[in-house]
Amino acid sequence: MTAIKCTASKNCFGGEVKFFQHFSSSCNCDMNFSIFLPQGANSEDPLPVLYWLSGLECTEKNFMEKAGAQRYAAEHNLVIVAPDTSPRGCNIEGEDDSWDFGSSAGFYVNATEAKWKKHYNMYDYVVKELPDIITKNFPVSGKKSISGHSMGGHGAMMIALRNPEEYCSVSAFAPICAPSLCPWGEKALSGYLGSDKNTWKLYDSNSLVETATVKIDILIEMGANDPFLDRELYLDTFHETCQKNEYPLVANIREGYDHSYYFVASFIENHIEYHATRLNPTC
């Protein structure tokens, strides 16, 4: 069993938020994650898990400290797990040079480029390694859902689209819907995966919708005042692709809201309820 070390613990809405560090076999370095355990969580009555993937420049702390999700997770007896957004301190040349690539910007892919592939395997970490660690160390059931923000929204949708049998539900706040088409995505996908755009499609929700055979409902929250809406997020393109392929999508455009955690905190209750309904009692 992977050894995990608790680095901090805080009481929160009757439960606890805990922060952990462990060595990751996927990323070949120490990785961090946070977890919210509602009051009374115990092995006799294991609870479902919502995995939250954060965005560019974030860590395992941002969501737990800013979104206020624990209040609603406590009401629904839901565990929340939030991993860091990339490996760190791997001594890769240039890993800290850019805010939108390298440290804090793993994009939830398995890198294939020589410089990055030893450490930047966030897809395997989130899909395989971390759930195994959570299952073996905490009182959780096999039921899980996934959500995220911005780059993490991209990660949540992409992971659910590739593994629809594994997740009861998926949602996203301001996700990068078509990373192959936007500057953030082009930079990350070419850097981690090289120039073959066929490989990019494996990590592009817009492309994955076109080939999906098993479908899972997607809920998206988007701020109408998001400065990245047209240049980076490509919601209109994604919506058209979903319509063309009869893929179930609900996209809420919230007037006056932007890309920040003020936006996330304003609507996180709706998303916790959305996931809790699908996780409890059946999935």
Side-chain angles (χ1 to χ4, degrees), residues 22-94:
H22 69 98
F23 182 80
S24 166
S25 58
S26 301
C27 299
N28 289 292
C29 65
D30 286 338
M31 290 291 294
N32 301 313
F33 68 87
S34 59
I35 185 169
F36 172 69
L37 295 164
Q39 185 177 27
N42 62 80
S43 58
E44 295 180 2
D45 187 21
L47 301 178
V49 183
L50 174 63
Y51 287 87
W52 173 271
L53 306 183
S54 291
L56 292 167
E57 297 189 288
C58 289
T59 71
E60 74 284 357
K61 297 180 179 180
N62 295 71
F63 180 73
M64 291 296 182
E65 294 177 346
K66 295 181 179 181
Q70 297 94 330
R71 175 192 295 271
Y72 312 111
E75 292 174 1
H76 293 285
N77 274 331
L78 185 63
V79 173
I80 301 177
V81 174
D84 200 353
T85 52
S86 78
R88 297 179 191 273
C90 297
N91 297 317
I92 303 171
E93 182 183 0

Side-chain angles (χ1 to χ4, degrees), residues 163-257:
N163 305 276
E165 299 92 347
E166 292 291 318
Y167 298 91
C168 295
S169 52
V170 58
S171 73
F173 287 79
I176 304 170
C177 296
S180 296
L181 302 178
C182 73
W184 283 346
E186 289 179 347
K187 180 176 181 178
L189 297 179
S190 62
Y192 295 131
L193 304 175
S195 59
D196 183 0
K197 293 191 176 183
N198 286 322
T199 305
W200 297 12
K201 292 179 181 180
L202 294 173
Y203 300 99
D204 187 311
S205 294
N206 193 59
S207 297
L208 291 168
V209 162
E210 294 179 336
T211 58
T213 56
V214 178
K215 298 178 180 180
I216 179 171
D217 293 351
I218 298 175
L219 172 64
I220 289 178
E221 219 73 43
M222 193 75 74
N225 288 8
D226 192 319
F228 308 114
L229 183 58
D230 296 326
R231 189 178 80 238
E232 301 285 1
L233 305 184
Y234 277 71
L235 178 60
D236 288 345
T237 299
F238 186 65
H239 183 257
E240 291 173 5
T241 302
C242 287
Q243 284 187 318
K244 179 182 176 181
N245 292 276
E246 298 182 342
Y247 202 98
L249 169 68
V250 173
N252 298 317
I253 309 299
R254 303 297 186 176
E255 292 297 329
Y257 288 88

Side-chain angles (χ1 to χ4, degrees), residues 5-9 18-21 32-33 60-61:
K5 176 184 177 182
C6 184
T7 58
S9 180
K18 291 177 173 287
F19 298 87
F20 288 89
Q21 184 177 82
N32 301 313
F33 68 87
E60 74 284 357
K61 297 180 179 180

